[in-house]
Amino acid sequence: MPRRTPLVIGHRGAPGYRPEHSRSSYDLALELGVDGVEPDIVVSSDGVLVVRHENEISGTTDIADRPEYRDRRTTKTVDGAELTGWFTEDFTWDELSTLGCRERLPALRPSSATFDDLQPVLRLRDVLDLVRGASLAQGREIGVVLEIKHATYFASLGWDIAELVDAELRAAGWADGELPLTIEAFESTVLHRLQERGIRASYIYLLEAAGRPFDLLSQQGTAALTYRQTAAPKGLDGLVGRVDGISVDKRMILAPDKLGRLGSSTVVADAHERGLRVFTWTCRPENNFLIGQFRGRGGAAAFGDWEAEWTVIRDAGIDGVFVDHPDLGVAFFGS
């Protein structure tokens, strides 16, 4: 059987080289030939869909250095976790648009940190328009893999994030399947609401290596399936006809069997047997992110034997992979 060539997706752009979700991060990912880019979205106080990995933004913007916003530092519980900082839902888009993007991991990626504060935070519409423009300029189809964050949490604040996404995609011309659109979330209920609204996209259910999805936990308590149970054959049976695929933590593919052998996980094969696609996240070359046996010398920021780890992932037959270094991802997975 020929080996699959997975989609290579620029995870938050090209954050191995530029601050995540910045304009330069997306520009570089598109220039380096990714099949798609992945914006995460959260909500502002006036209902704008903001491109940030989390709604707490002290680690990825210059908000902590802005004295005019010092009094908005607060503590909240988001999806059961207590967080202290500054939150997008406490700011208007006009306020958020003045913030500068910063490298989230400056100790690991000091070169990327040299681009701190040079570019403003983006909206979803900005990324959609950027990708459409790049598709036309490069003469190829480039996709968006849109990740919806904290839908249940934002619903508790009065925001129907499915309604906001629906309106934005239609306004931007991304709702009718003209360009490749994938919508993913760790909460399946928001995916189903968008399907019901008729947004033409591939729908991918994100699965952590541990824990339960917050939407189902809120509704069912501990009776809700864990992510691991969902990735098992019986759980996958329940996804057939409901989503187009799953996106799993790479540890679910790399986990060794009782004899310590890698590549023995059946999650990819089990999903494919049921007609479900499988994406995985996130392939990064630094020692800090590799599993133990592939780490090398030089400390956390040095590149380890990433090719060996990525070979196990590729050989599992995945359909899509998220990468922080698009040049490495395109060269390795596209070969």
Side-chain angles (χ1 to χ4, degrees):
M1 180 182 296
R3 191 176 69 202
R4 292 171 183 256
T5 300
L7 295 174
V8 178
I9 303 156
H11 180 239
R12 312 176 202 172
Y17 304 113
R18 302 288 189 274
E20 64 184 47
H21 292 316
S22 66
R23 171 64 187 263
S24 61
S25 184
Y26 286 110
D27 281 342
L28 183 57
L30 295 167
E31 178 185 329
L32 293 174
V34 294
D35 298 300
V37 294
E38 182 234 20
D40 303 296
I41 55 165
V42 292
V43 184
S44 71
S45 67
D46 48 351
V48 174
L49 295 174
V50 182
V51 179
R52 290 285 93 190
H53 180 243
E54 294 293 342
N55 56 326
E56 199 291 294
I57 54 174
S58 62
T60 60
T61 73
D62 61 354
I63 187 73
D65 293 338
R66 299 289 290 272
E68 66 269 36
Y69 299 138
R70 193 168 296 148
D71 62 350
R72 295 197 215 177
R73 186 173 187 267
T74 188
T75 299
K76 300 189 180 191
T77 300
V78 180
D79 293 359
E82 188 175 279
L83 302 170
T84 298
W86 289 263
F87 296 81
T88 58
E89 63 268 21
D90 295 331
F91 296 84
T92 66
W93 166 245
D94 284 346
E95 291 171 325
L96 293 169
S97 68
T98 69
L99 301 178
C101 297
R102 285 188 176 177
E103 170 55 47
R104 184 173 57 91
L105 304 167
L108 284 174
R109 294 172 173 172
S111 177
S112 175
T114 65
F115 294 87
D116 281 358
D117 304 338
L118 298 180
Q119 295 181 310
V121 170
L122 300 175
R123 302 165 298 178
L124 174 60
R125 181 61 180 268
D126 299 323
V127 177
L128 294 175
D129 290 347
L130 177 63
V131 175
R132 179 187 293 276
S135 295
L136 291 172
Q138 296 183 26
R140 65 187 183 98
E141 286 192 338
I142 306 173
V144 167
V145 181
L146 172 60
E147 181 176 346
I148 298 172
K149 306 302 293 265
H150 310 304
T152 299
Y153 170 78
F154 282 114
S156 73
L157 303 179
W159 292 113
D160 182 342
I161 202 164
E163 180 180 346
L164 295 175
V165 170
D166 182 14
E168 188 79 327
L169 291 174
R170 293 187 188 281
W174 275 81
D176 58 4
E178 179 186 345
L179 286 171
L181 175 65
T182 298
I183 302 175
E184 61 178 11
F186 287 101
E187 299 179 70
S188 59
T189 50
V190 70
L191 298 180
H192 301 327
R193 292 203 303 274
L194 281 164
Q195 288 171 320
E196 291 166 356
R197 287 175 170 272
I199 299 297
R200 294 182 62 185
S202 294
Y203 288 88
I204 301 294
Y205 190 18
L206 286 159
L207 303 180
E208 294 270 17
R212 288 181 170 86
F214 191 71
D215 56 341
L216 300 184
L217 180 64
S218 299
Q219 297 170 10
Q220 305 171 17
T222 55
L225 289 181
T226 66
Y227 286 120
R228 282 197 174 275
Q229 288 171 327
T230 302
K234 185 176 180 180
L236 293 172
D237 287 341
L239 299 182
V240 175
R242 299 283 284 166
V243 294
D244 298 295
I246 58 174
S247 185
V248 300
D249 185 323
K250 68 176 184 178
R251 291 176 293 174
M252 298 171 73
I253 296 173
L254 292 168
D257 63 15
K258 293 180 180 179
L259 298 177
R261 296 172 299 189
L262 296 182
S264 60
S265 170
T266 64
V267 63
V268 178
D270 290 341
H272 284 165
E273 187 177 315
R274 290 158 176 80
L276 298 169
R277 301 167 71 198
V278 183
F279 293 2
T280 192
W281 45 274
T282 301
C283 282
R284 299 165 165 136
E286 295 103 333
N287 283 322
N288 188 70
F289 303 112
L290 300 173
I291 63 172
Q293 64 206 82
F294 297 127
R295 293 174 187 161
R297 297 180 178 179
F303 286 12
D305 191 3
W306 55 272
E307 296 101 328
E309 182 180 280
W310 294 12
T311 295
V312 177
I313 292 169
R314 182 191 61 197
D315 291 351
I318 54 168
D319 302 286
V321 58
F322 294 86
V323 299
D324 280 7
H325 299 71
D327 53 338
L328 301 182
V330 169
F332 184 87
F333 290 104
S335 60

